[in-house]
Amino acid sequence: MTTSNDLLIEIGTEELPPKALQTLSNALTEGVVAGFKKAALEAQEVVSYAAPRRLAVLLKGIPEKQKDQLSERRGPAIKAAFDAEGNPSKAAQGFARSCGVEVDALDRLKTDKGEWLVFKQELAGQSTAELTADIVSKSLATLPIPKRMRWGSSELDFVRPVHWIVMMLGDQAITDKVMDISAGKQTVGHRFHHPAAIELHHATDYADVLEKTGYVVASFAQRREVVRQQAEAAARELGGIAKIDASLLDEVTALIEWPIAVSGSFDKKFLDIPQECLISSMQDHQKYFPVMDQSGALLPHFITISNIDSRNPAAVREGNERVINPRFSDAAFFWEQDRKNSLESYREATKKITFQKQLGSLFEKTERVATLSEDIAKQMGANSSDAYRAATLSKCDLMSDMVGEFAELQGIMGRYYAQKDGETNAVADAMQQQYQPGFADDVIPASTTGKILSLADRLDTLLGIFAIGMKPTGSKDPYALRRAAIGVLRILIEGELSLDLKQLLNSAANNFNDDIKADEAVNETFAFVMERLRAYYKDQGIAGSVVDAIASVN
């Protein structure tokens, strides 16, 4: 009976790209598991580890060697293998030679379809230890790394320099080479708290030893939860709630090995700036978690996650506070400068921004969208003046200093600046809502004017790009047309708008220059959007056959 054991594989590197850490970890795990499965070796449980300086996989309960196998190789048919006197033909002799035996050593296989010569051989299974280095090497070679790098004098390349490799089966080291490094049972702890090597005594000791001795929480999921809990606890001590964005939480988790939450504060005067500006600066530039009150208003505090357990946390706090205040001073300056101008005053500058070479400037696009928005509003019996005005102002905030510094605030700042200028609530709200839905689970615009503007903007982009022959191909979709199509469908369906999609596309076509020939692209654009409809309803649990039946009526 084959015995099982636990196999540990760890790749120790320089700091890995934080946004790619989970992808790399998943790919390594999948590659290793698939490699052993191909070798007929499957673990009872697989555990992945991912930290800034390491990727690791623990395969629990994997057989220590392959089962012995009976290999059966079929040769020529008996009729072709022997002549009338029973002497072996050249075909039989050649087959025997290729098997390394005499013809007399071959067996015969008889089936309903005939009889053949066969060569049967008992093959001894290889040990898991013998197979590991090759499987790991192949898995590393196929990791999704857009840009590899080399280091030292080696010709090898990887996402970051590799410094150590651990391969252990139970308590035994597998010392074969991977990436020109002899593997063993020595890992390395935290860069600062425990930079020395740590010898492992058993594969299953890995996570516990790193945490208790090396100051490294190797499990990404465990470390992520530690970060969350520490941030929430620190915010509670400040009388608030930590605003924890999922993508930021993942990024922070990928940046640290030993999470220690440190709270900080900033000058209350900065709260006069729209809180979205401050939150954006904290999250995107500093990787801080903002602290909010019960009503969702920003408090003058933040939480940062340090990668060291400092003996002087006050110094860490003061250092972070010194960094954030100049950032906020910049935001305050942009806010004051932008408010000296009306939102409409930025419209002239959009003439110098190219939307797409053949489709013209951003100004020309907003002109088309404004005309289409007005038309849609009239079809709906909505306020066409608000719709037209919102469209003409829709891209103006892109020219502001604040959005130039914080691109993710597009639309949000447009709403603030429109409110400052005395625009109607419908126009101001549409500035932000035009970008909704921005992702799969995002909401659609809440206001009628917002729905109209968002719909018109997407239809103009879809039809324009199709008209110039740049429709999506395979995985390439530089203008995010698939997402735009889903957005159109969601606004029409979930917004309960009784509008004819093909009629809307025909209306949009009338707004393009004659040389674009947008009218010729209407049917293809319509078909593209309808293809997305099938996927949309599939997510709603509605069968594709039902969607096809309804579509065929059109």
Side-chain angles (χ1 to χ4, degrees):
M1 181 178 177
T2 303
T3 57
S4 298
N5 217 325
D6 301 318
L7 175 65
L8 172 67
I9 299 159
E10 183 195 44
I11 313 299
T13 69
E14 292 286 339
E15 278 73 7
L16 294 161
K19 292 185 178 180
L21 183 62
Q22 285 183 284
T23 300
L24 292 170
S25 175
N26 293 338
L28 176 62
T29 300
E30 290 168 7
V32 168
V33 170
F36 280 110
K37 184 175 182 180
K38 188 177 180 180
L41 294 167
E42 295 191 55
Q44 295 173 10
E45 182 183 353
V46 179
V47 183
S48 298
Y49 298 99
R53 301 168 63 219
R54 69 200 73 226
L55 298 171
V57 185
L58 177 63
L59 292 93
K60 296 184 177 180
I62 191 169
E64 290 190 343
K65 69 182 292 291
Q66 296 172 315
K67 291 180 179 179
D68 295 341
Q69 293 181 328
L70 179 65
S71 171
E72 191 174 278
R73 181 181 169 192
R74 185 183 294 191
I78 295 298
K79 290 180 180 179
F82 299 96
D83 61 20
E85 285 76 33
N87 298 313
S89 66
K90 288 184 178 180
Q93 293 172 0
F95 175 65
R97 262 195 318 273
S98 70
C99 296
V101 297
E102 297 297 326
V103 173
D104 292 343
L106 297 174
D107 293 313
R108 295 191 179 199
L109 174 67
K110 193 171 184 178
T111 71
D112 295 339
K113 296 182 179 180
E115 191 175 4
W116 290 266
L117 285 177
V118 295
F119 174 65
K120 295 181 179 180
Q121 183 182 28
E122 187 81 18
L123 296 177
Q126 285 184 277
S127 71
T128 299
E130 291 174 321
L131 295 166
T132 298
D134 184 59
I135 289 173
V136 171
S137 295
K138 289 178 178 177
S139 300
L140 293 175
T142 57
L143 291 187
I145 302 172
K147 192 173 183 180
R148 292 173 175 262
M149 65 179 293
R150 292 179 180 176
W151 59 96
S153 58
S154 173
E155 290 297 309
L156 294 171
D157 55 35
F158 196 56
V159 60
R160 290 292 184 270
V162 178
H163 293 306
W164 76 89
I165 291 178
V166 175
M167 294 194 303
M168 292 182 70
L169 185 61
D171 60 359
Q172 296 298 308
I174 301 172
T175 57
D176 295 333
K177 281 192 173 184
V178 173
M179 299 195 79
D180 272 351
I181 297 174
S182 294
K185 54 169 64 176
Q186 286 193 335
T187 185
V188 177
H190 190 283
R191 182 178 287 279
F192 304 112
H193 287 308
H194 199 297
I198 303 172
E199 183 161 327
L200 301 170
H201 297 294
H202 196 281
T204 52
D205 295 341
Y206 177 69
D208 285 343
V209 169
L210 271 180
E211 184 169 355
K212 293 174 181 176
T213 304
Y215 287 83
V216 174
V217 180
S219 166
F220 188 93
Q222 180 186 346
R223 203 166 61 254
R224 189 179 193 269
E225 189 56 30
V226 171
V227 171
R228 179 196 296 279
Q229 291 177 1
Q230 288 189 6
E232 290 175 343
R236 282 195 297 271
E237 289 181 8
L238 295 167
I241 301 168
K243 179 178 174 60
I244 300 179
D245 177 79
S247 60
L248 177 60
L249 179 59
D250 285 342
E251 188 174 358
V252 170
T253 302
L255 284 166
I256 48 94
E257 296 179 303
W258 191 250
I260 301 292
V262 178
S263 60
S265 302
F266 56 86
D267 197 316
K268 291 182 180 179
K269 70 180 182 182
F270 292 123
L271 294 177
D272 292 335
I273 306 169
Q275 68 178 35
E276 293 91 343
C277 304
L278 305 182
I279 291 171
S280 177
S281 181
M282 282 190 276
Q283 291 180 331
D284 297 338
H285 292 170
Q286 302 306 127
K287 313 306 176 188
Y288 294 165
F289 296 108
V291 180
M292 320 297 287
D293 67 15
Q294 295 293 334
S295 68
L298 182 66
L299 294 174
H301 307 293
F302 61 85
I303 309 297
T304 184
I305 306 297
S306 175
N307 191 36
I308 58 172
D309 192 357
S310 176
R311 285 173 291 186
N312 186 5
V316 178
R317 178 183 300 107
E318 291 167 6
N320 281 278
E321 289 175 343
R322 281 198 301 271
V323 171
I324 198 64
N325 281 297
R327 285 279 188 190
F328 286 173
S329 294
D330 289 344
F333 176 76
F334 295 143
W335 173 239
E336 291 302 321
Q337 290 300 111
D338 286 345
R339 291 200 300 167
K340 292 178 181 179
N341 306 305
S342 67
L343 185 60
E344 189 173 21
S345 69
Y346 291 111
R347 194 157 184 255
E348 187 68 20
T350 63
K351 293 180 179 179
K352 299 177 182 178
I353 305 298
T354 301
F355 166 64
Q356 199 284 330
K357 186 176 180 181
Q358 292 171 262
L359 300 177
S361 67
L362 203 56
F363 178 89
E364 291 171 299
K365 176 177 173 59
T366 56
E367 287 287 279
R368 294 193 302 268
V369 172
T371 301
L372 181 58
S373 295
E374 185 178 41
D375 183 50
I376 294 172
K378 288 178 179 178
Q379 290 184 49
M380 293 173 56
N383 189 319
S384 59
S385 297
D386 278 348
Y388 186 88
R389 179 65 174 171
T392 59
L393 298 176
S394 61
K395 308 302 179 188
C396 290
D397 69 334
L398 300 181
M399 304 296 105
S400 68
D401 289 338
M402 188 69 84
V403 176
E405 179 70 13
F406 305 104
E408 64 279 4
L409 296 180
Q410 61 180 6
I412 295 173
M413 298 314 301
R415 175 171 59 83
Y416 278 110
Y417 297 146
Q419 289 172 337
K420 185 265 296 182
D421 293 342
E423 302 289 348
T424 66
N425 289 335
V427 170
D429 291 342
M431 296 298 97
Q432 182 170 352
Q433 294 174 13
Q434 65 178 303
Y435 297 104
Q436 297 170 341
F439 47 89
D441 298 323
D442 197 12
V443 297
I444 65 170
S447 71
T448 299
T449 304
K451 290 184 180 74
I452 291 170
L453 176 55
S454 181
L455 184 61
D457 191 29
R458 284 166 169 76
L459 290 172
D460 178 85
T461 298
L462 280 161
L463 185 59
I465 300 301
F466 266 83
I468 60 174
M470 295 183 67
K471 61 183 180 181
T473 56
S475 61
K476 295 182 179 179
D477 187 9
Y479 289 93
L481 299 189
R482 294 185 181 93
R483 187 171 65 189
I486 289 291
V488 166
L489 292 171
R490 287 192 59 198
I491 292 168
L492 289 173
I493 297 168
E494 297 170 26
E496 300 181 351
L497 305 185
S498 298
L499 296 168
D500 185 316
L501 177 58
K502 185 165 282 189
Q503 183 181 333
L504 293 178
L505 289 169
N506 281 318
S507 296
N510 294 331
N511 300 324
F512 287 90
N513 295 333
D514 293 340
D515 60 322
I516 297 298
K517 295 182 171 51
D519 56 325
E520 297 178 8
V522 167
N523 288 336
E524 188 178 17
T525 308
F526 178 79
F528 176 79
V529 177
M530 294 305 289
E531 286 175 13
R532 309 279 86 70
L533 183 66
R534 186 184 179 92
Y536 171 82
Y537 276 123
K538 183 179 179 181
D539 291 341
Q540 310 301 312
I542 298 174
S545 58
V546 175
V547 179
D548 293 339
I550 296 172
S552 66
V553 176
N554 183 31

